[in-house]
Amino acid sequence: MAGRDRVYFDRENRKIVNHWKDVHFLGLDSASENKDILFLTMVLGMDNPKPIDKKYRDGWILYKALNTADRALIRTAKLGAEEISDDTVNQVSDFDKCMDYVEECSNRGIDKLSQMIEENNENNDELEGVLMQELDRMYLQNVKGEDF
């Protein structure tokens, strides 16, 4: 069996992401923005990754579209989620396992961003402010270790 060649997402999320691009949410409307959507939703979902049912997933981004910095970010996301030991070092060094984690984070992040969009009546200006507050909160909580 051949190895993976793409990033996957939940089949239902294709409609959601395409809608975001169609109506230009946060400027997410070009083909290259798929990576931006992946990384934005990954960050939003890191606190509670949501597994994707492999029976109901679609291809999203080809691996060949991921540059060296993208691949490093994907590995770093998994590194931040794992306590590194002799038992876990192979999972962190396996790019496909790192991608599984990123896909699960993104899956949850799409849910969260969809909720934010709905709560802000699809208003880009309000959404941008709410999104920045959430990202600041997550930074303070996860990087600085501040409790809320």
Side-chain angles (χ1 to χ4, degrees):
M1 184 168 127
R4 287 177 57 166
D5 69 342
R6 66 195 67 221
V7 179
Y8 292 95
F9 65 163
D10 187 287
R11 188 168 291 149
E12 291 299 312
N13 288 341
R14 178 172 302 284
K15 294 176 208 160
I16 295 168
V17 169
N18 285 342
H19 175 69
W20 294 346
K21 289 165 47 174
D22 288 345
V23 297
H24 312 289
F25 282 123
L26 303 172
L28 303 173
D29 55 2
S30 71
S32 65
E33 300 301 331
N34 281 335
K35 287 193 306 185
D36 292 338
I37 294 169
L38 171 70
F39 293 132
L40 173 62
T41 57
M42 173 194 76
V43 169
L44 288 172
M46 288 183 96
D47 59 342
N48 188 17
K50 178 182 168 186
I52 299 173
D53 187 336
K54 293 194 187 310
K55 294 179 198 171
Y56 303 104
R57 69 181 186 176
D58 278 346
W60 188 7
I61 304 165
L62 291 174
Y63 276 3
K64 68 182 181 181
L66 301 172
N67 62 35
T68 302
D70 298 332
R71 290 173 182 267
L73 181 60
I74 289 163
R75 289 185 187 278
T76 302
K78 182 69 172 168
L79 272 172
E82 294 285 332
E83 202 168 304
I84 305 302
S85 69
D86 290 341
D87 297 330
T88 61
V89 72
N90 288 335
Q91 285 200 5
V92 173
S93 64
D94 182 329
F95 186 76
D96 287 343
K97 290 191 185 312
C98 294
M99 185 53 70
D100 288 341
Y101 175 73
V102 165
E103 289 169 345
E104 291 175 3
C105 292
S106 178
N107 195 35
R108 176 67 69 199
I110 288 171
D111 292 346
K112 288 176 88 171
L113 186 54
S114 292
Q115 182 179 355
M116 289 177 183
I117 289 169
E118 185 178 317
E119 288 173 354
N120 290 282
N121 301 313
E122 300 186 357
N123 181 311
N124 260 332
D125 293 331
E126 291 177 22
L127 177 61
E128 187 174 332
V130 169
L131 184 58
M132 294 311 297
Q133 286 177 340
E134 177 64 9
L135 293 172
D136 285 345
R137 183 197 65 76
M138 292 178 74
Y139 172 78
L140 291 172
Q141 181 179 339
N142 296 315
V143 176
K144 297 264 185 174
E146 298 178 14
D147 290 326
F148 290 88

